[in-house]
Amino acid sequence: MKPSISTFSTSFLLLILLVIGCKKENNRETSTDAAATTKTKEQYPKNPLSEDFKKYWYAGDAEITSYKLEQARYGEIRDGHAVLIYVTEPFLPKEQVKANGSNPENISVLKLNATKKFLTGIYPYSIMSSTFYPVYDNQHAIKTSLSVQEWCGHVYSQLNNREKFEFTSHSYFEGEADQSFSMDKTILENEIWNKIRVNPKNLPLGDISVVPSLEFIRLRHQELKAYKAKGNISSKDGITSYSLSYPELERTLTINFTSDFPNSIESWTEEFKSGFGPNAKSMMTSGSKIKTLKTAYWGQNENKNQILRDSLGL
């Protein structure tokens, strides 16, 4: 016997109500999850920016500082130069790249492009790291990357701050060729250089867990992970010194900067074992300030602008 139209209509109506009910329930669950996510983000409030900070870092130019570099490599000291380029810019948190336009999702970051150039005998080294750190000092660096070029080959590493730290790396060395993995979030040595310029009063002190710089990890062929370290800070004659010591790596980094705003990086030292195998010995890399120039360098790309490099001692 065929079901009546009335019975079919009633069953169809019940099915619709059931589906709508499930959708509403799912919507409630989604809303709860979203609220939980929002609450988690709210645990890291934005630190207010001082008027001095705004005037200095949002003036429409970058801060470029050159340094005399003495780089320990293969058991010898190599003369060269380093440049630290600091500039604020809008950053897209999802794509993790510079934003081309205004967007409510943009995060204001202080970017540091740090470069080194030196010779090892006949062949040159060129190193550059980029770190993007929120000016509100309320989370870890959003992204940091490294590239190293020399005549043997080149390497590239990148760490993105998402649900976890996501690390990718490409290298010409056996055992390091292509890597991709995630790790728990902790302090990044790379972000310390930005944090000094944003909020040095909040530098990590005491016994801490730190991921060493991507540069050190690549040049020394160490495993990328968090290592036990100790953070110390001291001040004398207007200069504050912040140091990170890694017992397991037998390495100490010390960054010296002006105690007063804008907390300019004056010099640094990095003591570690240089060379490999039984010939490795403790040596010290150092950088000492030559000159600082505040300018919108991206618009100074004509031949006549090369004279500006002279003022930086480059």
Side-chain angles (χ1 to χ4, degrees):
M1 180 177 175
K2 294 183 179 180
S4 67
I5 294 177
S6 176
T7 302
F8 177 81
S9 299
T10 301
S11 300
F12 184 71
L13 178 61
L14 287 173
L15 178 61
I16 291 175
L17 291 173
L18 179 61
V19 171
I20 292 174
C22 289
K23 285 187 175 180
K24 285 184 176 178
E25 183 65 26
N26 286 339
N27 285 339
R28 284 198 294 271
E29 289 175 358
T30 302
S31 299
T32 302
D33 291 342
T37 301
T38 302
K39 185 176 181 181
T40 300
K41 290 181 179 179
E42 289 175 351
Q43 292 177 355
Y44 305 96
K46 294 179 178 180
N47 289 305
L49 303 179
S50 69
E51 288 303 314
D52 285 341
F53 186 95
K54 294 176 185 178
K55 289 178 181 178
Y56 189 85
W57 290 114
Y58 293 102
D61 51 25
E63 180 199 85
I64 308 167
T65 307
S66 55
Y67 300 84
K68 181 181 185 298
L69 177 67
E70 295 184 350
Q71 177 74 41
R73 188 66 176 149
Y74 303 127
E76 293 185 284
I77 296 296
R78 320 293 178 149
D79 292 331
H81 63 261
V83 181
L84 301 184
I85 306 103
Y86 284 98
V87 65
T88 53
E89 63 184 25
F91 204 69
L92 290 171
K94 183 178 180 181
E95 295 83 352
Q96 302 204 343
V97 294
K98 180 184 177 182
N100 288 330
S102 179
N103 188 309
E105 297 299 317
N106 288 351
I107 294 176
S108 183
V109 300
L110 180 64
K111 176 178 72 175
L112 168 61
N113 283 338
T115 69
K116 288 182 175 180
K117 290 185 181 294
F118 57 91
L119 298 175
T120 49
I122 191 174
Y123 64 96
Y125 261 82
S126 179
I127 302 173
M128 178 172 173
S129 62
S130 297
T131 303
F132 306 83
Y133 190 78
V135 297
Y136 294 107
D137 194 33
N138 61 340
Q139 59 176 302
H140 291 295
I142 303 175
K143 177 181 177 180
T144 185
S145 60
L146 168 80
S147 61
V148 181
Q149 302 86 38
E150 40 100 357
W151 285 3
C152 294
H154 62 124
V155 299
Y156 180 80
S157 301
Q158 180 171 303
L159 189 148
N160 294 83
N161 181 354
R162 294 195 171 96
E163 288 293 325
K164 287 190 168 187
F165 281 157
E166 297 177 1
F167 177 72
T168 57
S169 180
H170 305 283
S171 170
Y172 61 88
F173 285 107
E174 182 180 357
E176 298 176 355
D178 298 287
Q179 298 180 29
S180 180
F181 58 86
S182 62
M183 58 191 296
D184 292 334
K185 297 181 183 182
T186 189
I187 299 163
L188 300 171
E189 182 184 311
N190 282 91
E191 70 190 6
I192 293 296
W193 296 79
N194 302 61
K195 198 175 182 71
I196 285 172
R197 309 306 306 275
V198 170
N199 188 4
K201 293 181 179 179
N202 201 25
L203 288 166
L205 301 174
D207 295 326
I208 50 180
S209 178
V210 184
V211 177
S213 71
L214 297 185
E215 176 188 325
F216 175 80
I217 291 295
R218 288 301 96 198
L219 294 186
R220 293 297 302 166
H221 306 290
Q222 298 290 323
E223 178 184 0
L224 183 88
K225 65 176 185 177
Y227 292 82
K228 290 182 179 179
K230 189 164 188 175
N232 288 288
I233 196 166
S234 62
S235 296
K236 184 179 180 181
D237 298 329
I239 298 295
T240 297
S241 299
Y242 178 78
S243 66
L244 280 175
S245 299
Y246 301 85
E248 183 181 346
L249 298 173
E250 299 180 275
R251 174 175 177 258
T252 299
L253 169 69
T254 302
I255 306 171
N256 305 305
F257 57 95
T258 56
S259 302
D260 296 330
F261 184 85
N263 308 115
S264 306
I265 307 294
E266 297 296 301
S267 63
W268 70 86
T269 60
E270 180 188 4
E271 188 173 2
F272 61 98
K273 280 193 172 181
S274 181
F276 297 94
N279 295 324
K281 56 185 176 181
S282 182
M283 301 190 73
M284 183 176 291
T285 287
S286 66
S288 54
K289 181 178 175 179
I290 300 173
K291 182 73 174 180
T292 293
L293 185 66
K294 281 207 78 188
T295 186
Y297 67 86
W298 48 87
Q300 298 164 334
N301 50 22
E302 298 178 4
N303 286 334
K304 66 181 181 180
N305 300 130
Q306 290 183 15
I307 193 172
L308 295 173
R309 292 183 62 82
D310 296 336
S311 64
L312 289 167
L314 299 176

